[in-house]
Each structure stands twice: as structure tokens, then as C-alpha cells.
Amino acid sequence: MIRSGALAQESPSAVIIDLGISHHVPPQDHDPADSRRDEYTYYFATADYVPDVLRPVFANRNRPQVSRRELRLQFPWLDLHAFGVVIGRLLAEPAVEATLAAHLGRVNMEALHDMRRRLDNPGDSSDYFRSALDVEQALKRLPFSKISPLGLAELAPVPEKGVILPTSRARVPCSTRVDAVISHPLFQRLHNLPQLDLLHYVLPGATHTRFVHALHTYDLARTAICHQLDDWRFRISVATKDVDCALFMALLDSVGRYHFQHMFEDFLHDRGQPNVRSAGLLADHELLNELMSTDGKDEYAELRGTRDSKGRNLGDVLTECAGLEWAEMRRRQANPTSPIQGFLAGLLSNPVDVDKLAYLIDDSAFSGLPFGQAVAPGPIFEALRVPAKTDWDGLLDTKVAVAVREKALSYVEQAVLSRYWNIQTGYWYRTNRSLQAMVKYQIGELLKARSLSFSEFILSTLHLSDDGALRWLDAKFRSARKAGAIPEETVNPMEGLLQSRRETR
């Protein structure tokens, strides 16, 4: 019987209401003196649930009887077989199988089908389950979350699925939830966004993308959290929602990045000037908020409404798959309300946070600069600690903070110095800075002429490569100069670069 009415909506449940002719069948070694052990009894059952060994008895209508001794020998096999039939019928329903697959993951559905096979006419063979307890334990271990810290599939020691990154030489674990996020068009467009802007003109190997960086940042965040779970104080205090917010914030951090971001951001300090203000320039975290918020600016409505194959925008995916709301995630990152929240926010915002460690390692691997190759995240993560409540309460300007044990100071200093030398010899190398100056010159002239809309730039270059974005800016510059908004004699510094001309002196 299935309960109906209001109670069913609150807590639906199945209740046995008729045991029929059920009898207690004593164990085979019960009491040798008990004469009933050789008695015969009638065996009634639903045909589909009867194992093959009892089919002859069940089907004999003239004498459908079996000795108690023989019937007892069929336990627990009879019940295990019947349970296997139930699983088989559930798997035969497409809607039920789809729901199970969403919970277990497609890979683990193969395990469920194998369990069904091992319950079909079971016996003494080791290939079969031998008790209901064995079946129960196997079912509990099916979802990845059951072998993961805090029950979170993202923290599982063996990934459900993943993406291989060159710098890790292994799969970055991607749960079903993470896969739904990175499959969204707004995340996939990071494939077209170089991590180092135009540095590949100077260091030819520096062609890795923000997609690589985003996944590496996420992987370092999950690794850092796993290290913290070794501390029982953290383990018994942290909530799964705390970890969820930290992991998905690390994953989404790069979604607000855009072509020539640092060059555009150099003009943000002039946002008070009318010509710059009218262009609507945004920093990367501001653009991320526009993409994820439900009440952003109208000019980003089209971008915010970008849908995946299931008709979901990125905020919908986050809510549907991870049960998270962007407003709450943003609040936790900017204004944490507990030391643990402050610590998790600090993983993405400190001098050696997971974002910086990821780009130090990746940028060195691809560009050829050696400084980040010796950076070791593991020892740093081992030494990170949640600040004491009294220390955290004493913070005035920000509550985003991590504590570091003294034993890791050498590793922290190494990461900080590696970042410094990467900047000096790579990012700020004179040729790279000259390239940036060329782009900034065009941006500056377009801003002075009020011929640049930042939202138009983002929408137009969203799925373009850096070359496409350069050509878009150059076309705007030429158009403004032709229209007289920019003086005709103004030099266009991008012509040689876009025509692949190089001059040496």
C-alpha cells in the first residue's frame, strides 16, 4: 500500500499490509528433535519473483508443496532473487533509469546492472551476493559521494570523469555537477581566451587558455580543501555548503575574464571621467557578476541569457545541479560570517591563493619561464589553517583570511618570488609591454572619441580568438578615424602586427 493524500506529499512511504500465509521457517540446524522440519507446506508466490530452482514446485498445481527443509535451504536466495527482479523492473522504466543515472552517474549504472545480474537466481557461488547486508552495503557504495569526504563527489579520491590537463598529466576530477558547469557555452568560450593575452608573440609556447587555468584553479581548490579535512577541527566544523560554495567559486572565477582584460582595466581608475564612464568598462569580477546575477544591467541581458543544450543559463545550471545561489556565493566570498567561511574565501584571495598558484605553474610550463616550475602547492596546503576565532574577530578591513604555519614560510616565499620574477621577465618584458601599449593606445583613442561600448566589445568578441578580438578593435579604430571621431593623422599601431610584419633595428 502507498500512503496517499497530504501525508504522501510530505513523506511518501510503502507499507506492508498483508503477510498472507507467511510462516516462520526454522533454520536447518534448529532442533533435530523438531518433527516439523520434514513437514510439507504450500508455496505461494508471484510467478515472476520465483527463482528457477522453485519453479517446478510452484508450477505443480496438483501438489504445490515443498518440505520446510528444502524451503529453508532457499533462504536468503529466494528473497535476493525477488529483490533483483524489483531492480530489473525499475531499470526497465526509462524515467526511473534516467533519474538513477543522474544520481549515480552514467558510469555507475553499469555497476547497478551488474548487481542485478548477481541477484538473478543466486546461489553459493562467490559471484553472487550472499546476504541482504551485502546488497545493502554495495548499494550504499555505488554513488561516488559515498566514498568521498563529506559525501561530496568532487572530493572523491578517484574521479567520476575528468579533463586531462598538460601540467597535471592526470585527469582533473569532474563530477556530474562540475561537468554541467564546464559544458555551458559561457564556460566553453574560455577555450578561445588566451591566459597570457599577447605574450605568445614573445614566448611562442604561451598559448594555453583560460579554460586550462580555470580547471587547474578548481583542482587546486579541491586539493587544498582535502588537505584541510585531515584536521579534525575543520572536518567536524565545516558544512558541505561551505565547501560547495568554495569549489564552484574557484571553478567560475575565470568566467568573467575577457580579451585584453588587463589593458582595459588600466582605464578603470578614470571611470569618473565622462568619456570613460560612458563606455561602461568593467573589471573581471564585475563582468562575472553581470553574467551570474538575475538582476544585472540590461545591456548584458543577451549574454546572461546564453543557454546550454537543455535551455539553462549558467545561473540555472548552478542552482539546478549544485543547489547554489550566486548571490549567496558572492556574499560568502566578499563578506564571510565565520572563520571557516573566511578561510575558504581566502583560498581564492591571498598572495599565494589557488588562482595564483595555478597560473604560476601553468605559465612556466607553457612559456618556458622556469620560475614557477618549482612551486609546490602541497606543502603550502598542508600548512594552511583556519584562523582562530579571536584573531578572525580582530580583523578590521576584511574577514577573508587564512593562517599559515611557520614551517611552510619557505614554500610561500618561493611562490611569491616566483610570481615576482615571472612578472619581471615575462609579463612585463619590454616587447610584451610594447604590444600591450599598442592595444591600450587604440582603446584610449576610442574612449576619447566615445566610440567604444564595452558591452558591445564583450558580446562581439565572446567566441573569437585573440586575433579576432584584435581585428574587432582595429576595425572600430579605423571606422572612428574614417568618421572623423579620431583625427585622420592619428597613427594606427596595429597595422604591422595584424599584417604579420616585423621590423628589427
Side-chain angles (χ1 to χ4, degrees):
M1 178 184 75
I2 303 297
R3 295 185 187 273
S4 60
L7 181 59
Q9 297 176 359
E10 296 173 4
S11 55
S13 58
V15 181
I16 298 174
I17 60 172
D18 186 3
L19 296 178
I21 60 167
S22 298
H23 292 280
H24 172 67
V25 180
Q28 185 64 23
D29 58 352
H30 182 61
D31 182 358
D34 188 351
S35 60
R36 292 186 305 156
R37 71 184 190 280
D38 292 325
E39 289 180 359
Y40 282 81
T41 184
Y42 289 97
Y43 174 51
F44 294 93
T46 302
D48 292 346
Y49 293 83
V50 178
D52 290 347
V53 70
L54 290 176
R55 286 293 177 118
V57 178
F58 172 81
N60 186 349
R61 296 185 180 279
N62 294 325
R63 190 183 179 189
Q65 293 183 322
V66 61
S67 71
R68 295 181 185 277
R69 180 192 298 261
E70 183 179 351
L71 193 59
R72 182 65 183 86
L73 288 173
Q74 300 309 316
F75 286 94
W77 316 121
L78 190 157
D79 290 337
L80 293 176
H81 174 82
F83 183 60
V85 173
V86 172
I87 293 179
R89 289 193 167 187
L90 290 172
L91 291 175
E93 294 288 337
V96 174
E97 185 177 28
T99 302
L100 287 171
H103 177 63
L104 299 176
R106 292 287 175 183
V107 174
N108 292 324
M109 287 301 291
E110 182 180 344
L112 189 56
H113 281 281
D114 183 67
M115 287 187 62
R116 163 72 181 94
R117 180 189 62 78
R118 294 172 63 187
L119 289 167
D120 187 30
N121 291 293
D124 284 325
S125 169
S126 60
D127 195 38
Y128 292 105
F129 290 106
R130 305 186 65 81
S131 70
L133 180 61
D134 289 342
V135 178
E136 179 188 18
Q137 291 176 343
L139 285 172
K140 286 182 176 179
R141 289 193 293 265
L142 268 184
F144 270 96
S145 60
K146 297 301 181 182
I147 59 171
S148 307
L150 305 180
L152 295 176
E154 292 76 20
L155 302 182
V158 180
E160 178 180 356
K161 56 177 71 175
V163 178
I164 296 176
L165 297 184
T167 48
S168 63
R169 293 175 291 279
R171 288 190 301 166
V172 171
C174 295
S175 65
T176 302
R177 303 192 303 172
V178 169
D179 189 58
V181 172
I182 68 174
S183 297
H184 195 276
L186 287 181
F187 199 99
Q188 285 291 306
R189 60 112 185 171
L190 297 179
H191 280 296
N192 300 317
L193 195 60
Q195 166 70 11
L196 293 174
D197 287 324
L198 303 174
L199 188 60
H200 61 85
Y201 282 97
V202 182
L203 303 172
T207 57
H208 58 301
T209 65
R210 290 283 183 183
F211 185 85
V212 170
H213 175 72
L215 289 184
H216 197 181
T217 300
Y218 155 75
D219 191 37
L220 288 178
R222 61 175 293 279
T223 303
I225 291 169
C226 284
H227 274 285
Q228 291 307 303
L229 290 171
D230 184 53
D231 183 348
W232 62 266
R233 298 171 186 82
F234 183 88
R235 197 164 58 245
I236 66 175
S237 301
V238 71
T240 55
K241 188 170 184 179
D242 294 333
V243 176
D244 274 344
C245 286
L247 286 175
F248 282 91
M249 183 60 82
L251 182 65
L252 292 168
D253 184 57
S254 289
V255 173
R257 306 297 174 94
Y258 50 89
H259 285 294
F260 319 131
Q261 172 191 320
H262 299 302
M263 287 148 260
F264 273 99
E265 288 182 341
D266 281 346
F267 293 94
L268 289 179
H269 64 277
D270 292 326
R271 277 198 281 195
Q273 298 179 10
N275 59 324
V276 177
R277 184 171 61 250
S278 65
L281 302 187
L282 296 178
D284 63 310
H285 66 276
E286 294 171 326
L287 179 59
L288 175 61
N289 190 53
E290 287 293 335
L291 299 180
M292 300 299 299
S293 296
T294 57
D295 57 350
K297 297 177 181 177
D298 292 341
E299 55 261 42
Y300 293 100
E302 178 184 345
L303 198 57
R304 198 160 42 245
T306 303
R307 307 285 174 175
D308 65 5
S309 59
K310 296 183 178 180
R312 304 172 298 189
N313 64 31
L314 192 51
D316 293 337
V317 172
L318 191 65
T319 301
E320 179 181 321
C321 298
L324 298 174
E325 296 292 338
W326 172 249
E328 172 66 9
M329 290 175 61
R330 184 181 57 179
R331 194 277 304 163
R332 285 169 177 257
Q333 184 64 32
N335 299 297
T337 57
S338 70
I340 280 185
Q341 286 187 16
F343 171 85
L344 292 172
L347 289 180
L348 199 59
S349 181
N350 76 74
V352 287
D353 59 39
V354 292
D355 173 66
K356 296 180 181 67
L357 291 175
Y359 76 60
L360 281 174
I361 296 169
D362 294 341
D363 293 358
S364 289
F366 287 97
S367 69
L369 295 174
F371 309 107
Q373 294 177 10
V375 170
I380 296 176
F381 295 157
E382 288 174 6
L384 296 182
R385 290 293 182 270
V386 177
K389 182 69 164 58
T390 51
D391 293 332
W392 186 79
D393 287 338
L395 297 174
L396 299 177
D397 54 342
T398 178
K399 297 292 186 179
V400 177
V402 297
V404 183
R405 297 176 66 185
E406 186 176 359
K407 69 175 187 178
L409 287 182
S410 57
Y411 293 98
V412 173
E413 289 171 353
Q414 180 190 36
V416 172
L417 285 174
S418 295
R419 185 182 175 210
Y420 171 80
W421 286 115
N422 262 21
I423 292 173
Q424 288 294 103
T425 59
Y427 316 145
W428 282 13
Y429 183 72
R430 62 179 180 273
T431 306
N432 189 49
R433 294 180 72 181
S434 297
L435 288 168
Q436 293 184 13
M438 293 160 64
V439 176
K440 284 178 62 177
Y441 181 80
Q442 280 197 332
I443 294 172
E445 290 298 313
L446 287 169
L447 288 174
K448 283 195 295 184
R450 298 198 178 192
S451 299
L452 178 65
S453 164
F454 183 74
S455 59
E456 182 189 1
F457 170 76
I458 295 298
L459 285 166
S460 301
T461 63
L462 190 67
H463 301 291
L464 297 182
S465 66
D466 58 324
D467 182 74
L470 279 175
R471 294 183 184 279
W472 187 93
L473 270 179
D474 189 63
K476 277 287 180 183
F477 181 89
R478 290 171 181 271
S479 177
R481 192 170 60 176
K482 184 176 181 180
I486 295 176
E488 180 66 29
E489 65 275 11
T490 303
V491 175
N492 182 358
M494 300 300 295
E495 287 179 334
L497 182 65
L498 292 174
Q499 295 172 11
S500 301
R501 294 205 310 266
R502 177 173 179 142
E503 296 181 5
T504 56
R505 296 182 183 180

